[in-house]
Amino acid sequence: MTTWHYQMTITPNSDHIGQSIKAVLIHWLIPQRIRGALRLKQHVRINGLYRPTNYQLQANDQLSLVFDQADFRTGESQYPANNSHALDIIFENDDLVVVNKPAGMKMHPHSPSETDTLLNFLAANFSKRHLYSAGAIAKPYMVHRIDRETSGAVIVAKNPVVVPILNRMLKEKVIQRTYLAWVQGILLKNSGTIDLPIGRDISKPFQRQVNGIQAQHAKTHWFKIHTVFQNTLLRLQLDTGRMHQIRVHLASINHPIVGDSLYGQRLNQQRMMLHAMSLTLPLPFDGPKRIITTPLPSDFPKQLHV
C-alpha cells in the first residue's frame, strides 16, 4: 500500500506554537475523516513519538504525518502514460503543478481506451522526470476542471493528500480564478455580476442552463476591458464553479462567448475564446500565496475582428 509522508518543523516564530495538533490540522483544511484516520492509526508523531492530537506544539518540534491509500475515497491514480504531447507547466512544487492547458485538450479520459488527455500526458511527464511527492512516486490527481475548448491555468495534484485541501480552498474561494473571454455584442456597463442558478438542461444532457434541473447557486463577476467592432473582451471572476458556468451565464445575458459551439455560434474561429488567465493560490501546509499567470496563447487575439 502506498504511503505519503510529511514532516514539518515548528519554527520559533511560528503562529502554531501553543496550538494543538488538531487545531493545526484543521487550519490546514485536512478533512475530519482523514484527521480521524491519522489519530486512530497513530500516524501523527512529534519528534519521532506518537502524540495525541491535543498535544500543544512547541518551538522546534518535528511534526510528522503519514497518510496511506485507505485514508482516501478515490483510488490511486492509474492513468496510462502518453508521452506524445509536451506540456507547458507554469508552476510546480512537491505537491502540485499548474499547467497551461491548450484549447482542444480534454482534462481526463472517460474510458480506458482514451489516453489523449491532460492527465495521461502528465502521467508520462512525471514518469519521465522520475518525480516523487511526499515520499511516493508522483502521479496526477485532478483537482478541478476547465472545459476542453477552454485554454489556460489548471491545478493538478501530485498526490491524493492535497486534493481535498485544494478542493476546500476552491469551495471557500481561497483559490481565486480569473478568466478572459471575447463575447458577442457591446456591453454598455463597465462591470456587473451574473447571479443566476445553473442546472441540467433536460433536453440536452451534456449542457446546462439557467434555472435548469436541480439548479445550484452560481455567481460570475465580469469587467469590461475593451470593445472591438461588435465584440467585447471581458475579465471574469468566479464565486462558484458550476459546470459551463461562464458559458451559460454569458449566454443568458445575450452575450455568448465567441466561438462557443454549445451556447453561442461557431463562426470562423478555430476555438472558443475563453482563457483561464490566472490563479491566486495559497500553497498547502502554510505555503506562500502565489499568483500564477498564463500567457495568452497565439490563437487568442488581443484584438478580435469577426
Side-chain angles (χ1 to χ4, degrees):
M1 180 182 294
T2 304
T3 58
W4 295 270
H5 299 255
Y6 282 84
Q7 182 165 306
M8 300 85 165
T9 299
I10 307 303
T11 58
N13 60 349
S14 172
D15 293 337
H16 299 313
I17 292 175
Q19 294 182 350
S20 68
I21 296 172
K22 178 181 178 180
V24 173
L25 297 180
I26 292 172
H27 173 75
W28 284 340
L29 303 180
I30 295 176
Q32 182 179 4
R33 174 179 48 83
I34 298 176
R35 298 199 309 268
L38 290 171
R39 185 181 68 253
L40 291 173
K41 297 174 184 179
Q42 298 191 1
H43 281 177
V44 181
R45 293 181 176 269
I46 299 293
N47 304 322
L49 299 174
Y50 169 70
R51 297 290 187 186
T53 55
N54 62 0
Y55 172 85
Q56 293 185 334
L57 294 165
Q58 306 300 315
N60 300 315
D61 274 349
Q62 298 287 322
L63 170 61
S64 300
L65 305 173
V66 179
F67 304 85
D68 60 46
Q69 186 58 54
D71 297 338
F72 305 102
R73 290 174 175 164
T74 56
E76 191 167 354
S77 174
Q78 298 291 343
Y79 297 104
N82 182 342
N83 61 10
S84 67
H85 193 101
L87 295 174
D88 181 15
I89 296 175
I90 55 176
F91 176 80
E92 180 172 18
N93 70 0
D94 190 62
D95 288 322
L96 59 90
V97 293
V98 178
V99 181
N100 185 14
K101 185 186 83 67
M105 181 182 289
K106 291 183 68 172
M107 283 290 305
H108 63 95
H110 288 98
S111 68
S113 62
E114 193 174 15
T115 62
D116 58 343
T117 75
L118 179 74
L119 294 185
N120 296 112
F121 299 136
L122 272 177
N125 178 284
F126 291 176
S127 177
K128 182 179 180 180
R129 294 193 288 145
H130 306 289
L131 294 185
Y132 279 74
S133 177
I137 295 173
K139 296 182 178 181
Y141 290 83
M142 189 164 64
V143 175
H144 67 117
R145 298 176 176 87
I146 58 175
D147 295 339
R148 179 176 185 164
E149 296 177 76
T150 304
S151 59
V154 62
I155 305 167
V156 179
K158 292 181 177 179
N159 67 61
V161 178
V162 295
V163 172
I165 295 172
L166 293 165
N167 283 337
R168 180 86 172 272
M169 288 181 179
L170 285 165
K171 183 178 181 180
E172 297 184 358
K173 299 185 283 293
V174 177
I175 295 174
Q176 297 176 340
R177 294 170 286 170
T178 302
Y179 292 76
L180 288 177
W182 279 104
V183 301
Q184 296 177 21
I186 300 171
L187 285 84
L188 299 180
K189 296 182 179 179
N190 289 325
S191 63
T193 296
I194 307 169
D195 189 354
L196 296 169
I198 294 174
R200 291 186 293 108
D201 186 332
I202 193 168
S203 63
K204 299 172 183 177
F206 297 106
Q207 293 185 213
R208 297 294 185 267
Q209 65 179 30
V210 167
N211 294 315
I213 305 300
Q214 297 177 330
Q216 295 177 294
H217 170 65
K219 183 182 287 188
T220 305
H221 305 283
W222 60 265
F223 308 87
K224 182 167 67 175
I225 297 176
H226 62 233
T227 299
V228 179
F229 291 98
Q230 297 298 311
N231 300 291
T232 302
L233 182 63
L234 299 180
R235 177 169 56 87
L236 302 125
Q237 291 182 318
L238 301 180
D239 272 8
T240 52
R242 309 304 175 201
M243 181 177 176
H244 295 176
Q245 176 176 322
I246 293 175
R247 301 167 71 176
V248 172
H249 269 172
L250 291 173
S252 75
I253 62 169
N254 299 314
H255 293 287
I257 298 172
V258 173
D260 189 340
S261 60
L262 289 181
Y263 304 100
Q265 285 183 295
R266 177 81 78 184
L267 299 174
N268 60 345
Q269 278 68 42
Q270 297 300 308
R271 58 159 296 182
M272 178 174 67
M273 293 298 159
L274 179 61
H275 178 67
M277 180 179 71
S278 68
L279 291 166
T280 301
L281 172 62
L283 298 176
F285 305 109
D286 290 332
K289 180 180 288 188
R290 298 292 184 120
I291 299 174
I292 302 163
T293 302
T294 61
L296 277 180
S298 59
D299 57 1
F300 191 101
K302 294 180 180 179
Q303 304 289 334
L304 183 64
H305 304 275
V306 178

